[in-house]
Amino acid sequence: MSRFSIAAFLFLALTVAAAAQDTHSDEPGTHALFTRSAFAHGYRHGYEAGYHEGNLDINMARQARTHFKQFKGLPLGYKHSFGSKKSFEQGFALGLEAGYGDGYAGRMFRAIASLRTIGESLKPAAEAGDAGNTFFDRGMTLGYQDGFAASRFGGGQHQGVLPVDMQSVKCSFRAGERAEAAAQSSYCNGYRRGFVLGQSDKLDLSPEQVLLEASK
């Protein structure tokens, strides 16, 4: 099953419960990123949850979980003010996978540093032609997928280090209509940041690590 089609299956098993207070939005260096991308915000929530579960499992000498259904009961922590719920859920699922892998392997909690790096110099205000940040968030999501797929090796030697310069990432954008063409800059801005995050996650995986599966 495709790694990027698991979100719908994942949230059949998870308890969707909103957190009373979201402190991630106040973290220095990530405010603008979370304001403009529900995917990035969901990734942050998922990574933290996954890291905690992975750390707990290894300390309890449990076998690593390999199915999303094994995470039943985790709170999603979504609020309407975060933006697209679907995008948030997809980010949560992928962050959960990355965080669990790091927590179980005893690696450092790197999500904050990684998100701060890709959020560097980003302004919270939406760009021209993308008032709702829809294209920026879409770019983040697709960029992450492409960045993850572009890296064919792992080993953990890159942990905590973002492997490429965002400006070197090529971005192609096909506008469906003239109104969309004005959002190209915003889309590519998000795409490049997502690409770097996705590539970093793939490079950090150990060769023997098994990706989580939605169901089997």
Side-chain angles (χ1 to χ4, degrees):
M1 178 171 294
S2 171
R3 181 172 184 265
F4 303 109
S5 64
I6 46 81
F9 294 90
L10 170 60
F11 294 103
L12 292 176
L14 297 188
T15 299
V16 181
Q21 183 178 2
D22 180 68
T23 58
H24 302 146
S25 298
D26 298 326
E27 287 176 352
T30 58
H31 171 72
L33 185 65
F34 294 161
T35 296
R36 297 184 58 181
S37 173
F39 174 87
H41 200 164
Y43 176 94
R44 174 67 177 87
H45 278 247
Y47 185 97
E48 182 172 9
Y51 191 90
H52 173 76
E53 295 298 311
N55 189 259
L56 182 64
D57 283 354
I58 193 63
N59 284 324
M60 296 294 289
R62 299 169 181 162
Q63 289 190 339
R65 302 181 214 184
T66 57
H67 301 274
F68 278 109
K69 63 183 179 181
Q70 294 172 294
F71 291 88
K72 184 177 180 179
L74 286 181
L76 177 62
Y78 171 78
K79 294 181 180 180
H80 181 72
S81 59
F82 296 164
S84 167
K85 184 179 180 182
K86 181 179 179 180
S87 182
F88 185 95
E89 288 178 345
Q90 190 167 18
F92 187 99
L94 298 175
L96 176 69
E97 184 173 49
Y100 184 80
D102 285 343
Y104 194 85
R107 292 190 287 266
M108 58 183 276
F109 187 103
R110 58 188 171 82
I112 298 176
S114 296
L115 290 167
R116 281 176 178 168
T117 299
I118 67 167
E120 187 177 3
S121 74
L122 181 67
K123 297 180 180 179
E127 297 179 42
D130 190 20
N133 287 307
T134 300
F135 288 92
F136 179 89
D137 191 44
R138 185 187 303 174
M140 273 286 305
T141 304
L142 296 179
Y144 182 96
Q145 296 175 9
D146 288 350
F148 193 95
S151 303
R152 301 298 181 185
F153 57 92
Q157 70 270 30
H158 296 280
Q159 66 174 15
V161 179
L162 295 177
V164 298
D165 173 30
M166 283 186 289
Q167 298 309 313
S168 69
V169 176
K170 295 181 179 180
C171 171
S172 59
F173 177 80
R174 294 184 179 181
E177 53 188 58
R178 181 173 297 181
E180 291 185 353
Q184 178 175 357
S185 175
S186 184
Y187 173 89
C188 287
N189 195 3
Y191 181 91
R192 293 186 178 99
R193 296 172 194 274
F195 187 98
V196 172
L197 182 62
Q199 190 171 72
S200 177
D201 278 356
K202 183 58 175 287
L203 292 176
D204 198 55
L205 290 177
S206 299
E208 69 277 8
Q209 184 172 340
V210 179
L211 294 179
L212 297 175
E213 298 179 14
S215 61
K216 208 166 189 177

